[in-house]
Amino acid sequence: GDSVTQTEGLVTLTKGLPVMLNCTYQTTYSPFLFWYVQHLNEAPKLLLKSSTDNKRTEHQGFYATLHKSSSSFHLQKSSVQLSDSALYFCALSEPTQVVGQLTFGSGTRLQVYA
Amino acid sequence: EAAVTQSPRNKVTVTGGNVTLSCRQTNSHNYMYWYRQDTGHGLRLIHYSYGAGNLQIGDVPDGYKATRTTQEDFFLLLELASPSQTSLYFCASSGDITEVFFGKGTRLTVV
């Protein structure tokens, strides 16, 4: 079956530094990849969704590029802010699956310090 | 913005108890979902529905029932709650493959 792997459980950084959160996946078909962000006591919200292979997508200063050759969709930001502290989930959806049926990674908590 | 409202936000019940979690969406979306979130597992799909009266099983359905009474309302039922069902439960809705909208969650504790 499908799977999504996020290798870091916790990433701690000082504000202003760059960050990369890893996401790799396994699937039979050509998937859509997503990043969801969940702030404390809030609902998960869509941050980014993949475009075509090797094309970068950006939103709110975050960016990610789908690389089918390496089955990756890493999330990056050039300068993190305190407000970026949250739980980040990578997720995939296959065209053959039910609309909105997502397979999630285990999540990476990003903690930004002043 | 799309709205998904869950109730209650917190619930404590005893082992063997009967619990119903409620969800209402005002997005006119066809699809609704129940996920559970546990540390180290991310979110896992319990049940989903693509319209009133429809129910489909997800990846972790054991011990759960669900019912979609209207386009707007989707309920998750735990008829014999167990401590292993202590979790954070999210309801969500979607109209297409591009985005899923989540509620704020219900924290359920089974003691």
Side-chain angles (χ1 to χ4, degrees), chain A residues 6-38:
Chain A
Q6 295 180 248
T7 52
E8 309 100 352
L10 173 66
V11 173
T12 58
L13 284 173
T14 303
K15 70 176 183 179
L17 291 179
V19 66
M20 184 172 83
L21 306 184
N22 291 310
C23 173
T24 56
Y25 62 90
Q26 283 190 308
T27 181
T28 305
Y29 302 97
S30 184
F32 297 97
L33 270 294
F34 306 87
W35 277 99
Y36 278 80
V37 58
Q38 184 182 13

Side-chain angles (χ1 to χ4, degrees), chain B residues 57-94:
Chain B
I57 62 170
D59 300 319
V60 289
D62 293 346
Y64 302 96
K65 292 184 179 179
T67 180
R68 179 94 175 265
T69 54
T70 65
Q71 179 80 349
E72 295 79 20
D73 298 304
F74 195 31
F75 301 92
L76 185 68
L77 295 79
L78 292 73
E79 294 183 331
L80 286 171
S82 74
S84 65
Q85 295 176 307
T86 293
S87 187
L88 182 57
Y89 291 87
F90 285 100
C91 177
S93 74
S94 179

